[in-house]
Amino acid sequence: MNFSTMRDEVILVDQHDRVTGKASKKEAHKKGLLHRAFSVWITNSQGEILLQQRAQDKYHSPGLWSNSCCSHPQPGEETLESAKQRLFEEMRIDSHLDYAGKFYYKVQFETDLAEHEIDHVFTGVYDGPVDPNPNEVADFKWVRPANLIEELEANPQQFTFWFPKVMKMVTGDRL
């Protein structure tokens, strides 16, 4: 794998997830252009879920808790391979990933940025050490499903907008 952290472009797609072009990540998020993304949901053999807290200097959703990894495949990359690469870049985890499905969403942030994505979701099981990249991740934690539901219900503002959608894709809201 090529473990480059330069991920400055996104793949533009139509409503059917067909490639229509490419754009800079910044342009796509400023203009709300529909693009492809992925989210990774990692659990361990005890059933705990690996969450990451986004680094404070992320240009949107800084400091919020989210699924184990999320990003965008680069033009010319297969989404699964990109997800595996990014999981390693962000969390230093090498894990087999399975495809769980995809969903569409759009949200305008209070800033001048928007997310407009078709998000491909992958799941994996991992029991080894986690050594997050501090440029990407402020903190991480393993959470029991019941505790995650309580946290999400009590403090939804502490989670990324897409996190509940990823959770629903993976668990059907039944943790």
Side-chain angles (χ1 to χ4, degrees):
M1 284 186 219
N2 172 17
F3 295 113
S4 166
T5 56
M6 293 302 295
R7 304 186 73 76
D8 296 332
E9 293 185 311
V10 297
I11 300 168
L12 300 178
V13 295
D14 65 15
Q15 291 286 338
H16 302 286
D17 200 25
R18 293 183 296 231
V19 176
T20 61
K22 64 182 180 178
S24 75
K25 189 165 63 169
K26 185 174 270 188
E27 177 187 17
H29 290 108
K30 280 192 171 284
K31 294 181 178 177
L33 303 175
L34 181 58
H35 59 280
R36 189 173 290 159
F38 59 80
S39 293
V40 179
W41 180 276
I42 297 292
T43 57
N44 62 23
S45 58
Q46 288 78 43
E48 296 171 316
I49 301 143
L50 178 63
L51 300 183
Q52 70 152 274
Q53 183 182 35
R54 292 169 59 86
Q56 292 296 331
D57 62 352
K58 291 281 193 177
Y59 67 97
H60 75 75
S61 307
L64 297 182
W65 288 95
S66 198
N67 45 283
S68 311
C69 172
C70 42
S71 191
H72 309 91
Q74 297 297 281
E77 286 183 334
E78 292 296 323
T79 306
L80 171 60
E81 287 306 310
S82 186
K84 289 181 73 165
Q85 176 180 328
R86 194 67 181 148
L87 179 62
F88 185 84
E89 290 171 356
E90 288 189 11
M91 304 301 278
R92 303 294 187 252
I93 290 175
D94 186 12
S95 177
H96 173 81
L97 298 178
D98 292 311
Y99 188 67
K102 62 185 174 181
F103 64 91
Y104 166 89
Y105 78 99
K106 184 176 185 179
V107 62
Q108 180 70 46
F109 294 110
E110 292 176 7
T111 64
D112 63 342
L113 301 174
E115 282 284 23
H116 190 195
E117 297 182 338
I118 294 180
D119 194 353
H120 294 253
V121 179
F122 298 91
T123 62
V125 177
Y126 179 77
D127 284 309
V130 179
D131 181 24
N133 178 342
N135 294 326
E136 302 290 339
V137 180
D139 200 1
F140 76 95
K141 60 185 173 182
W142 292 98
V143 181
R144 294 198 174 284
N147 295 21
L148 176 56
I149 291 171
E150 288 174 11
E151 281 186 51
L152 192 55
E153 287 175 353
N155 299 298
Q157 74 284 357
Q158 292 181 4
F159 291 84
T160 58
F161 177 82
W162 60 89
F163 178 77
K165 297 176 183 313
V166 173
M167 185 172 82
K168 183 174 184 177
M169 171 68 63
V170 174
T171 69
D173 277 342
R174 300 176 315 274
L175 283 177

